[in-house]
């Protein structure tokens, strides 16, 4: 980094002043520990800690006399580090301020790690019954991974005091029980009564628990027809996080057998393990009915991708041939290759119906694995095939990142000529990597650009005034495919509804001309390589241990299984198209920035 900003913050109408601190004396350090400046507090902390027990009197005085609870907490934290620190911690557990009690619990955790135990049985029960939910949340976190029976009993008390509304309290309970759900949940059941799910708080505990012991109650909640399906969705989702594979699969199957509702069937299948579905005739029959009802839709493709039924090969081919310009078409082609059905694709490509063959070629465009690229390359370079089919294959080769590199290699080797060369270059004209577009273009005869001259310096551009009305049209043509303004446009890049309040004109020109100079947090691009040899580039929308969701330009998303991912590499360059300003007249660029500058916080 060679650019940046340093901010000094002060109250309104207050002159900036940097105070001098004396870190050589206890009195100076005590005063400095109250500073809002982290580095100042660091030096003060080190000085006070170095004095050890001799600092106790001054710290105790600060703790007893200060009216500021934040300063009181700082004094308590330092006192807890002394040899008799547990005494101060135990006393603070009775403080009237819940923040001080929270500080005491956190300090106790560190003291406990050193062999001292200020959180005795009596103290732990006392704080577990604290009237403040924030304090009880802190207690829950404090007993995480504590294997004593006392911890399980305390957790059960904490769980019984959940009010059924505090989402953060519930999550603290979940974090606390990590690795000990069977034990903690069993302790809670003893206190929960004969019907643990009669109350909202009981249903919350069962929903959040991660033990196979909850499966019967989860199934009861998910199958309750007296409750709207919308309010039952969370219980179906909870099955995905439950470790009891056999128990939950049988429970979902029982729910599916007891219902004729298509939506319930969909939910049960979505949460059933694919391996279990293959062994269950009842689940297989339900899956077949659902595939028939959803054929050709995105939902149909999701089911096929999840369960991979071999009986769907011919229908997948139909989707690939009928929807070449839609996501369903490309997904169908990719799924056929995954299911080792390349011969079925080849039969269509080699068939007499050239239009159908061309549609299948188009559907293979974005697959990007080695098998699909070999197929496209073979067709593109086969002089015996129809020209229209070869042209489409030449264009489709550049539909993936690996394919882009292959196109450049074939162009360099002189494998493409005439119209096939033009098609191959067109196929990579939308590549996000400017270097790819630029190199590919060198293999064609020079073509005129939108502007015949270079842009003036950004400092000069920022002084120009434009037409915001025309700038809005320019935005719709060039930018709306990735950015939103007031809800309109694609949800891919940062939203620009208030960009005029965040960046001046110079900053906006910089963002357009040099998009990689500053990539917004959360919008970094990642190159993801798959086991089948394909590579995709997008923004990580969601990532768990099992699933990955990538977002692509235009706002579309795609789900992947982490088991199929070989590597994920953060890109150095922005996914925003570099050289966008080169594709428009200078005046349009000025008008665009004028429009963006008027988008301000209301």
């Amino acid at each position: 980094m060679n650019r940046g900003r340093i901010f000094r913050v002060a109250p309104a109408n207050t002159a900036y002043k940097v105070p001098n601190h004396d870190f050589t004396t206890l009195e100076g350090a005590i005063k400095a520990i109250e500073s809002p400046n982290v580095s100042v507090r660091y030096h003060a902390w080190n000085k006070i800690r170095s004095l050890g027990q001799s600092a106790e009197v001054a710290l105790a005085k600060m703790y007893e006399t200060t009216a500021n609870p934040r300063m009181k907490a700082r004094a308590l934290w330092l006192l807890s580090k002394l040899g008799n620190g547990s005494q101060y911690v135990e006393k603070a557990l009775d403080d009237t301020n819940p923040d001080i009690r929270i500080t005491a619990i956190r300090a106790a955790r560190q003291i406990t790690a050193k062999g001292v135990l200020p959180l005795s049985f009596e103290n732990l029960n006392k704080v577990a019954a604290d009237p403040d939910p924030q304090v009880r949340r802190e207690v829950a976190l404090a007993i995480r991974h504590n294997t004593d029976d006392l911890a399980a009993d305390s957790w059960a008390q904490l769980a019984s005091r959940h009010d059924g509304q505090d989402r953060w309290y519930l999550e603290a309970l979940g974090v606390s029980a990590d690795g000990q759900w069977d034990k903690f949940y069993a302790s809670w059941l003893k206190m929960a009564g004969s019907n643990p799910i009669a109350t909202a708080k009981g249903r919350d505990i069962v929903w959040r628990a991660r033990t196979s012991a909850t499966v019967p109650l989860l199934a009861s909640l998910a199958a309750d027809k007296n409750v709207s399906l919308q309010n039952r969705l969370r219980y179906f989702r909870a099955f995905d996080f439950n470790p009891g594979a056999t128990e939950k699969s049988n429970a979902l199957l029982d729910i599916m057998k007891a219902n004729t509702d298509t939506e319930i069937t969909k939910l049960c299948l979505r949460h059933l393990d694919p391996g279990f579905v293959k062994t269950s005739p009842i689940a297989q029959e339900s899956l077949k009915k659902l595939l028939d009802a959803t054929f050709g839709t995105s939902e149909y493709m999701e089911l096929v991708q999840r369960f991979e039924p071999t009986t769907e090969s011919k229908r997948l081919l139909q989707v690939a041939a009928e929807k070449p310009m839609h996501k369903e078409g490309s997904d169908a082609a990719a799924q056929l290759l995954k299911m080792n059905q390349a011969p079925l694709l080849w039969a269509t490509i080699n068939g007499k119906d050239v239009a159908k063959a061309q549609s299948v070629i188009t559907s293979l465009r974005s697959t990007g694995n080695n098998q699909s690229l070999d197929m496209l390359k073979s067709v593109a370079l086969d002089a015996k095939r129809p020209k229209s089919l070869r042209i489409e294959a030449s264009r489709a080769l550049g539909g993936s990142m690996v394919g882009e590199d292959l196109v450049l290699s074939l162009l360099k080797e002189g494998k493409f000529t005439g119209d096939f060369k033009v098609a191959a270059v067109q196929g990579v004209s939308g590549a996000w990597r400017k270097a790819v577009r630029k190199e590919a273009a060198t293999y064609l005869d020079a073509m005129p650009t939108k502007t015949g001259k270079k842009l003036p310096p950004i400092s000069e551009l920022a002084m120009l005034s434009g037409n915001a009305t025309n700038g809005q049209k320019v935005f719709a043509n060039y930018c709306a495919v990735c950015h939103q303004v007031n809800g309109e446009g694609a949800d891919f890049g940062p939203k620009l509804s208030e960009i005029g309040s965040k960046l001046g004109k110079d900053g906006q020109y910089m963002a357009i001309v040099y998009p990689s100079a500053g990539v917004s947090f959360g919008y970094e691009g990642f190159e993801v390589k798959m086991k089948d040899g394909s590579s995709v580039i997008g923004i990580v929308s969601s990532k768990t241990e099992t699933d990955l969701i990538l977002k692509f330009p235009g706002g579309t998303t795609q789900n992947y299984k982490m088991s199929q991912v070989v590597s994920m590499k953060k890109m150095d360059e922005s996914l925003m198209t570099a050289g966008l300003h080169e594709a428009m007249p200078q005046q349009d660029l000025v008008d665009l920035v004028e429009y963006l500058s008027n988008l301000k916080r209301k």
Side-chain angles (χ1 to χ4, degrees):
M1 293 292 292
N2 54 15
R3 296 192 297 273
R5 296 181 178 92
I6 296 177
F7 294 95
R8 186 174 296 283
V9 181
N13 303 317
T14 301
Y16 293 112
K17 182 180 179 182
V18 181
N20 292 319
H21 294 284
D22 179 12
F23 300 112
T24 62
T25 65
L26 175 59
E27 181 181 4
I30 290 288
K31 186 175 181 180
I33 203 69
E34 299 182 4
S35 172
N37 188 307
V38 176
S39 63
V40 170
R41 293 205 305 272
Y42 171 76
H43 288 295
W45 165 272
N46 283 335
K47 175 60 179 178
I48 296 172
R49 287 285 288 136
S50 70
L51 295 173
Q53 207 69 37
S54 62
E56 179 181 0
V57 174
L59 285 171
K61 181 180 179 181
M62 177 182 175
Y63 176 78
E64 296 292 345
T65 60
T66 183
N68 188 326
R70 183 176 284 107
M71 304 310 147
K72 188 173 184 177
R74 292 177 187 174
L76 174 61
W77 196 258
L78 281 160
L79 285 167
S80 72
K81 305 301 180 185
L82 300 179
N84 57 344
S86 60
Q87 298 175 15
Y88 291 99
V89 170
E90 289 199 66
K91 182 179 179 182
L93 290 173
D94 293 320
D95 198 278
T96 57
N97 188 317
D99 288 331
I100 298 301
R101 300 200 295 274
I102 288 173
T103 303
I105 293 169
R106 292 178 180 176
R109 292 173 66 182
Q110 291 199 2
I111 295 174
T112 302
K114 296 177 182 178
V116 184
L117 191 61
L119 283 184
S120 62
F121 180 84
E122 180 182 351
N123 282 335
L124 191 55
N125 280 329
K126 177 174 63 180
V127 290
D130 196 283
D132 192 285
Q134 293 186 72
V135 176
R136 298 200 303 275
R137 290 204 299 256
E138 198 65 37
V139 177
L141 298 178
I143 61 175
R144 183 173 187 250
H145 295 166
N146 187 321
T147 57
D148 293 341
D149 291 340
L150 169 61
D153 293 339
S154 297
W155 189 90
Q157 290 186 50
L158 293 166
S160 68
R161 292 185 174 93
H162 171 49
D163 63 5
Q165 298 179 354
D166 190 337
R167 181 68 180 84
W168 295 111
Y169 190 96
L170 181 62
E171 187 56 30
L173 291 173
V175 172
S176 177
D178 175 48
Q180 300 190 85
W181 269 110
D182 291 345
K183 182 178 181 180
F184 281 24
Y185 180 76
S187 292
W188 173 74
L189 277 181
K190 294 176 183 177
M191 300 179 61
S194 59
N195 188 5
I197 56 176
T199 62
K201 64 180 183 180
R203 292 190 290 272
D204 273 354
I205 301 298
V206 171
W207 170 80
R208 183 58 181 83
R210 302 290 184 261
T211 168
S212 59
T214 64
V215 169
L217 292 178
L218 270 182
S220 174
L221 291 167
D224 189 353
K225 296 179 180 179
N226 296 318
V227 179
S228 69
L229 180 57
Q230 183 63 34
N231 289 330
R232 286 185 276 154
L233 293 178
R234 68 193 300 239
Y235 303 118
F236 281 99
R237 179 61 175 158
F239 280 112
D240 291 345
F241 298 94
N242 198 292
T246 302
E247 294 89 346
K248 67 184 181 183
S249 293
N250 287 325
L252 286 166
L253 190 62
D254 289 340
I255 293 174
M256 193 161 55
K257 287 191 294 185
N259 279 273
T260 57
D261 189 334
T262 302
E263 291 303 315
I264 296 295
T265 300
K266 290 179 184 177
L267 281 169
C268 290
L269 283 172
R270 186 173 292 129
H271 298 293
L272 275 172
D273 180 73
F276 179 86
V277 171
K278 291 178 181 179
T279 63
S280 169
I282 296 175
Q284 282 285 306
E285 183 181 353
S286 296
L287 176 60
K288 185 180 184 305
K289 290 179 180 178
L290 195 53
L291 288 169
D292 292 341
T294 60
F295 174 66
T297 66
S298 58
E299 192 169 24
Y300 168 82
M301 285 308 311
E302 289 176 8
L303 289 168
V304 173
Q305 289 170 334
R306 178 172 175 79
F307 298 105
E308 299 185 348
T310 55
T311 55
E312 293 301 304
S313 298
K314 291 184 178 179
R315 291 208 291 190
L316 283 171
L317 180 64
Q318 183 181 339
V319 174
E322 293 179 355
K323 294 190 173 185
M325 302 303 294
H326 296 80
K327 184 174 182 295
E328 290 82 7
S330 61
D331 285 348
Q335 188 62 32
L336 282 169
L337 291 177
K338 186 178 179 182
M339 294 166 60
N340 299 317
Q341 294 297 318
L344 202 58
L345 291 168
W346 272 122
T348 304
I349 294 172
N350 295 331
K352 295 180 180 180
D353 190 337
V354 177
K356 188 175 182 180
Q358 190 168 324
S359 293
V360 170
I361 288 292
T362 303
S363 290
L364 284 168
R365 171 181 170 81
S366 61
T367 302
N369 58 33
N370 294 335
Q371 194 173 11
S372 68
L373 292 176
D374 287 342
M375 295 174 73
L376 293 174
K377 177 183 173 181
S378 175
V379 174
L381 302 182
D382 188 351
K384 297 180 180 180
R385 293 185 179 274
K387 181 178 179 180
S388 61
L389 196 61
R390 292 183 62 197
I391 286 179
E392 184 57 32
S394 300
R395 184 182 294 111
L397 262 176
S400 62
M401 184 175 177
V402 179
E404 292 167 6
D405 294 330
L406 178 58
V407 167
L408 291 181
S409 177
L410 294 174
L411 285 169
K412 186 176 182 180
E413 295 171 11
K415 299 293 185 180
F416 290 117
T417 59
D419 292 340
F420 306 114
K421 181 192 292 186
V422 174
V425 174
Q426 287 177 341
V428 298
S429 62
W432 74 271
R433 290 181 293 175
K434 184 179 179 180
V436 171
R437 303 196 307 271
K438 187 175 180 181
E439 182 179 344
T442 62
Y443 292 98
L444 297 179
D445 294 334
M447 298 181 67
T449 58
K450 286 275 186 181
T451 59
K453 58 181 180 180
K454 293 183 178 180
L455 285 174
I458 287 178
S459 57
E460 294 182 20
L461 285 171
M463 300 297 292
L464 301 176
S465 297
N467 184 323
T469 302
N470 182 58
Q472 186 173 9
K473 296 177 182 177
V474 176
F475 179 88
N477 292 333
Y478 289 92
C479 312
V481 70
C482 288
H483 297 281
Q484 283 188 346
V485 168
N486 298 325
E488 295 186 5
D491 183 13
F492 178 67
K495 293 177 175 59
L496 303 179
S497 302
E498 299 177 349
I499 191 63
S501 297
K502 300 174 183 177
L503 290 178
K505 284 188 175 182
D506 56 342
Q508 293 177 37
Y509 278 115
M510 284 289 293
I512 294 171
V513 178
Y514 305 108
S516 296
V519 181
S520 298
F521 178 75
Y523 294 94
E524 303 91 343
F526 282 82
E527 177 189 354
V528 183
K529 292 186 177 180
M530 305 294 181
K531 288 183 178 179
D532 64 4
S534 63
S535 293
V536 290
I537 291 177
I539 293 172
V540 175
S541 178
S542 174
K543 179 178 177 292
T544 66
E545 291 184 0
T546 58
D547 296 277
L548 171 68
I549 301 178
L550 289 181
K551 186 185 292 185
F552 303 104
T556 61
T557 60
Q558 177 67 47
N559 296 357
Y560 301 92
K561 290 295 181 183
M562 287 301 297
S563 58
Q564 299 302 313
V565 174
V566 175
S567 65
M568 293 181 63
K569 178 183 178 183
K570 184 177 178 181
M571 309 302 295
D572 294 328
E573 297 182 8
S574 169
L575 290 185
M576 177 173 167
T577 304
L580 179 65
H581 59 288
E582 298 173 359
M584 65 179 76
Q586 178 180 313
Q587 189 57 50
D588 279 359
L589 177 61
V590 174
D591 292 344
L592 171 61
V593 172
E594 189 71 32
Y595 166 66
L596 296 174
S597 298
N598 290 329
L599 299 175
K600 297 188 177 181
R601 186 178 297 111
K602 297 178 181 179

